[in-house]
Amino acid sequence: MKTKGIFAFLLFLSACSSIDCPLNSIVQTAYKLQGDVTALPYVLTVSVSRNDGNDTIVLNQISQVDSFCLPISYQHPADTLYFDVTTTEGEQYLDTVTLKKDDHQHFHSVDCAGSFFHTLTGVSTTRHALDSITIHSPHVTNEINEAHLYIYFKSDL
């Protein structure tokens, strides 16, 4: 009888100590191809500038996709991304994309890792291989339900 009481007490304690943290804590922007080019016929590599002045590749040589996700910085008012496009003929185009945003600290629980959510406020791009990028859904969280940005590539490369 005493062991049943101890078992019930331990079961009660384990039920009270569960932590309800989100399984996905990664915050990314989702891009969806629109316009004449709905599947990427080129090879795309995307890099970003780091604080130390160097660039780092965040998306390496993708092709034949209609969407992709890219990381977003936590505490900068704007991110600068470099879209390097190589055509099937070997021609190379480099576009600079500037993504402006507001950062919002997100608190879930003291037991969970902190994170930042974002509100996209503007986007601009050079127009070598890209035609334009538009904001479709400005709220960037750790859940991707739809594309945040629509990206339009030139069809005559």
Side-chain angles (χ1 to χ4, degrees):
M1 185 71 155
K2 187 175 181 181
T3 55
K4 286 184 181 179
I6 293 173
F7 179 72
F9 179 70
L10 291 175
L11 187 62
F12 173 75
L13 283 179
S14 68
C16 294
S17 66
S18 68
I19 298 171
D20 189 24
C21 293
L23 295 175
N24 181 13
S25 62
I26 298 172
V27 179
Q28 302 181 76
T29 51
Y31 293 74
K32 174 81 172 142
L33 275 67
Q34 297 287 309
D36 294 338
V37 180
T38 56
L40 193 61
Y42 325 113
V43 175
L44 172 66
T45 298
V46 180
S47 58
V48 296
S49 294
R50 296 187 329 191
N51 289 340
D52 63 4
N54 295 316
D55 295 342
T56 187
I57 294 174
V58 293
L59 189 65
N60 193 22
Q61 297 185 346
I62 63 164
S63 65
Q64 302 303 321
V65 297
D66 67 348
S67 61
F68 53 89
C69 292
L70 295 175
I72 189 167
S73 69
Y74 286 156
Q75 295 182 347
H76 293 97
D79 288 348
T80 302
L81 304 120
Y82 304 104
F83 283 62
D84 187 355
V85 174
T86 305
T87 66
T88 54
E89 291 81 29
E91 296 176 7
Q92 199 166 7
Y93 299 90
L94 182 66
D95 279 301
T96 303
V97 175
T98 303
L99 189 60
K100 294 180 182 175
K101 61 191 177 53
D102 292 328
D103 303 318
H104 313 283
Q105 191 168 11
H106 177 70
F107 177 78
H108 188 78
S109 167
V110 294
D111 296 321
C112 302
S115 63
F116 283 86
F117 289 173
H118 313 277
T119 302
L120 302 177
T121 58
V123 61
S124 62
T125 182
T126 57
R127 299 178 188 273
H128 303 286
L130 296 174
D131 182 54
S132 62
I133 299 177
T134 60
I135 297 173
H136 172 68
S137 177
H139 303 291
V140 181
T141 67
N142 58 349
E143 295 181 22
I144 299 176
N145 298 325
E146 60 183 329
H148 301 110
L149 298 153
Y150 284 160
I151 185 166
Y152 299 84
F153 281 90
K154 292 182 177 179
S155 59
D156 59 349
L157 294 182

